[in-house]
Amino acid sequence: AQTVTQSQPEMSVQEAETVTLSCTYDTSESDYYLFWYKQPPSRQMILVIRQEAYKQQNATENRFSVNFQKAAKSFSLKISDSQLGDAAMYFCASVAGTASKLTFGTGTRLQVTL
Amino acid sequence: NAGVTQTPKFQVLKTGQSMTLQCAQDMNHNSMYWYRQDPGMGLRLIYYSASEGTTDKGEVPNGYNVSRLNKREFSLRLESAAPSQTSVYFCASSWGPQPGDTQYFGPGTRLTVL
């Protein structure tokens, strides 16, 4: 069984600053994938970034990057140069094994202030 | 290219009523999924269909049935709605059932059972 834990229910960041959202996971599988999804007020789930566990290099997508610490089972999301449009719920998720069944954390609500 | 579409967007039911949530994707994806999202929790998998003609239970299948009508469409049916099924329901699709395949989500259906 997989578990995903997000220990920060809410975070706040000023516009143009950097913020890091935390996520830890647990899985007994050696082959797995990790994701960050963004859910704005519109409810649409949007993929932010994806990390393959077998890749040591941290994934990056424009202003979004991850810090993947495999031994510590940690997968944090860093948002640089935060923008008002980044305000949303952010969900960390994992998938492992032979089927694409996502396991989600409980989410972190990010506020972006002027 | 609409991606994943869901109907209806909102629905109110009385306890014991039945209804079907519709989902369609136009990305020629093989795999489709139904999740529910409750307050304070991440998304949880109800059912999934790895390919046309197959369906499997997810984490919370009780009280639901699904039909993979064809490659494009995957419906979720509540036979006798209960207040515990009040939730936001998301449909998703992916190219295949492999763990690394990214899932793309629909806009969700907010269901209230009185």
Side-chain angles (χ1 to χ4, degrees):
Chain A
Q2 301 172 69
T3 59
V4 177
T5 302
Q6 294 180 251
S7 59
Q8 304 156 317
E10 290 190 13
M11 293 282 286
S12 183
V13 63
Q14 283 191 318
E15 199 177 18
E17 296 296 310
T18 296
V19 65
T20 298
L21 309 184
S22 301
C23 172
T24 58
Y25 63 93
D26 194 17
T27 179
S28 58
E29 302 282 349
S30 57
D31 185 20
Y32 56 91
Y33 296 78
L34 300 165
F35 304 84
W36 279 98
Y37 278 90
K38 171 185 177 181
Q39 186 179 42
S42 66
R43 282 204 316 249
Q44 183 79 45
M45 295 287 287
I46 303 164
L47 178 67
V48 175
I49 203 162
R50 172 181 179 273
Q51 174 81 42
E52 295 96 332
Y54 63 85
K55 287 190 176 178
Q56 291 188 338
Q57 186 173 3
N58 290 327
T60 300
E61 288 287 342
N62 300 314
R63 298 182 295 107
F64 298 87
S65 61
V66 298
N67 184 3
F68 176 43
Q69 301 289 328
K70 194 170 184 177
K73 295 186 176 178
S74 171
F75 182 60
S76 60
L77 175 70
K78 185 172 84 170
I79 306 174
S80 304
D81 185 25
S82 296
Q83 300 174 0
L84 293 177
D86 295 334
M89 283 289 288
Y90 286 82
F91 290 95
C92 180
S94 71
V95 64
T98 57
S100 188
K101 295 187 282 186
L102 284 167
T103 297
F104 284 85
T106 53
T108 297
R109 183 174 302 280
L110 178 66
Q111 291 184 318
V112 181
T113 59
L114 294 172
Chain B
N1 188 340
V4 180
T5 57
Q6 293 182 235
T7 55
K9 287 187 168 49
F10 301 94
Q11 184 70 48
V12 178
L13 292 178
K14 294 181 179 179
T15 297
Q17 288 184 318
S18 62
M19 80 159 297
T20 300
L21 306 184
Q22 306 286 356
C23 173
Q25 52 89 11
D26 63 1
M27 296 177 282
N28 201 32
H29 284 170
N30 292 297
S31 301
M32 299 184 74
Y33 313 82
W34 276 105
Y35 292 88
R36 62 177 287 173
Q37 182 180 28
D38 300 306
M41 303 183 71
L43 280 68
R44 293 182 293 167
L45 183 66
I46 305 171
Y47 270 93
Y48 69 101
S49 171
S51 61
E52 187 178 354
T54 68
T55 60
D56 285 288
K57 294 178 181 179
E59 183 184 352
V60 288
N62 291 343
Y64 305 95
N65 286 300
V66 291
S67 296
R68 184 73 183 267
L69 305 171
N70 48 55
K71 190 172 185 179
R72 290 186 63 249
E73 299 173 287
F74 188 40
S75 62
L76 178 72
R77 183 161 178 83
L78 287 70
E79 291 291 350
S80 179
S84 61
Q85 295 178 304
T86 293
S87 189
V88 179
Y89 291 85
F90 288 94
C91 178
S93 70
S94 64
W95 174 249
Q98 286 72 33
D101 291 336
T102 298
Q103 294 184 27
Y104 297 88
F105 286 80
T109 295
R110 182 177 293 279
L111 175 67
T112 301
V113 183
L114 302 175

